[in-house]
Amino acid sequence: MKDILTAPFIEEMKQTTANMYRLGWDERNGGNISCMLDEEDVSEYLDVNRVIRTIPTGFDARKLIGKIFVVTGTGKYFKNVERDPETNLGIVRIAADGTTAELLWGYKDGGKFTSEFPAHMMSHMARLSVDSENRVVMHCHPTYTLAMNYVHELDEKKLTHTLWEMCTECIVVFPDGVGVLPWMLCGTNSIGEATAEKMKEFRLVVWGMHGIYGAGKSLDETFGLIETVEKAAQIYMLTAHLPRINTIKDSEMKELADFFKVDYRKDFLNL
Ligand code: 2HA
Ligand code: ZN
């Protein structure tokens, strides 16, 4: 059995959480990540038949039975993952009943998965129903995206359109746009269900005045989605109070989408 602390999936979680922390997206215990792993990969590092303990989830994840995830821990700081992955991360498998998680590794201090586990698992189910290659769900509190929530209408079309206008590459990176939920109580099954509903349509979902969710095929891709939204939001916040002299036109955004052959939300442009 190889040393799990050398596993590429642990290494990548360490790097991702460290990058997110340094960018200021994950203060204190803010943010959480879940990444689906292949059983064969995990088996190189762990005896997958050895369950350390079981943890009830409080929701039905039958579509994920047998699936294994590495998940950040509740109350844990992204800042500390790199230094102590075994306390701050856990590897869990959804048990045969669909409502229990089997801990295979991690949460060494007796902890458990993020309080946003319902939103994560429900989002995985939703994304997998439209994209069988989806592996990652990521949540964080990026500064400018959050700032923008207080001064821009929280309307999917209007918010996406403004973000697309802020950087030439936005419509190419997230042609499906950004879904928006109003402020809701976090850590609940209800916000999980609402997020998952949006995730059928969007890989990015803003939680009004809280943060953002991203989903993708890899940690890099998902990070890149959120990073691009955050860059656009930063440019918006740096310019929103100034007279707008120039703008990327809707016809130019269409030109970009056509050239890069991306299937974009045509109803989010005003052509
Ligand atoms: O895990 O970000 O939404 C801390 C949070 C809750
Ligand atoms: Zn949060």
Side-chain angles (χ1 to χ4, degrees), residues 138-155:
M138 185 181 281
H139 166 63
C140 57
H141 307 156
T143 311
Y144 292 94
T145 305
L146 203 40
M148 194 174 166
N149 272 229
Y150 293 89
V151 298
H152 193 285
E153 277 172 274
L154 290 176
D155 169 87

Side-chain angles (χ1 to χ4, degrees), residues 71-89:
V71 189
T72 51
T74 182
K76 298 296 188 272
Y77 295 15
F78 273 29
K79 177 170 73 74
N80 297 335
V81 172
E82 198 169 27
R83 183 173 50 76
D84 185 3
E86 197 172 352
T87 301
N88 295 292
L89 302 176

Side-chain angles (χ1 to χ4, degrees), residues 25-33 72-76 78 114-116 120 139-141 186-187 191 207 210-211 213:
W25 301 354
D26 298 277
E27 72 291 344
R28 200 174 179 271
N29 63 320
N32 24 76
I33 305 178
T72 51
T74 182
K76 298 296 188 272
F78 273 29
T114 167
S115 59
E116 305 298 357
H120 279 255
H139 166 63
C140 57
H141 307 156
C186 54
I191 200 167
W207 276 10
H210 178 143
Y213 265 75

Side-chain angles (χ1 to χ4, degrees), residues 22-261:
R22 295 274 168 237
L23 286 165
W25 301 354
D26 298 277
E27 72 291 344
R28 200 174 179 271
N29 63 320
N32 24 76
I33 305 178
S34 59
C35 176
M36 195 192 289
L37 305 174
D38 285 339
E39 189 176 328
E40 302 89 88
D41 292 342
V42 179
S43 307
E44 291 182 36
Y45 303 92
L46 290 178
D47 174 1
V48 293
N49 297 313
R50 191 178 151 265
V51 175
I52 299 170
R53 55 192 159 95
T54 56
I55 312 170
T57 68
F59 61 92
D60 178 6
R62 252 174 291 179
K63 288 194 185 116
L64 297 175
I65 290 170
K67 300 284 187 213
I68 300 174
F69 297 87
V70 57
V71 189
T72 51
T74 182
K76 298 296 188 272
Y77 295 15
F78 273 29
K79 177 170 73 74
N80 297 335
V81 172
E82 198 169 27
R83 183 173 50 76
D84 185 3
E86 197 172 352
T87 301
N88 295 292
L89 302 176
I91 295 180
V92 294
R93 177 174 54 209
I94 303 299
D97 63 4
T99 61
T100 307
E102 298 170 328
L103 181 65
L104 304 179
W105 176 82
Y107 307 143
K108 198 174 64 175
D109 60 354
K112 62 181 230 174
F113 38 73
T114 167
S115 59
E116 305 298 357
F117 200 59
H120 279 255
M121 293 301 115
M122 291 176 193
S123 293
H124 277 286
M125 290 190 270
R127 285 309 305 164
L128 287 168
S129 73
V130 292
D131 175 7
S132 63
E133 290 180 12
N134 195 84
R135 293 289 176 274
V136 173
V137 173
M138 185 181 281
H139 166 63
C140 57
H141 307 156
T143 311
Y144 292 94
T145 305
L146 203 40
M148 194 174 166
N149 272 229
Y150 293 89
V151 298
H152 193 285
E153 277 172 274
L154 290 176
D155 169 87
E156 283 164 357
K157 175 175 173 167
K158 289 179 184 163
L159 186 75
T160 300
H161 190 275
T162 300
L163 292 169
W164 281 352
E165 275 183 318
M166 292 298 129
C167 305
T168 290
E169 297 199 339
C170 277
I171 194 168
V172 182
V173 175
F174 53 96
D176 40 347
V178 179
V180 178
L181 290 178
W183 186 92
M184 290 177 74
L185 186 62
C186 54
T188 62
N189 286 354
S190 307
I191 200 167
E193 284 153 12
T195 309
E197 199 49 43
K198 291 290 179 195
M199 282 279 181
K200 290 180 187 161
E201 209 179 327
F202 301 100
R203 290 173 300 158
L204 288 158
V205 179
V206 162
W207 276 10
M209 290 158 285
H210 178 143
I212 193 164
Y213 265 75
K217 297 175 187 19
S218 64
L219 284 166
D220 246 10
E221 183 192 67
T222 314
F223 179 93
L225 282 171
I226 294 176
E227 186 181 30
T228 308
V229 167
E230 174 65 352
K231 177 66 177 270
Q234 181 173 10
I235 294 170
Y236 177 79
M237 292 308 297
L238 288 171
T239 56
H241 57 295
L242 301 171
R244 179 85 69 88
I245 310 290
N246 300 305
T247 198
I248 303 172
K249 298 187 193 73
D250 283 34
S251 60
E252 292 166 336
M253 291 195 252
K254 179 182 183 314
E255 219 180 305
L256 276 162
D258 291 344
F259 183 74
F260 288 99
K261 297 185 175 50

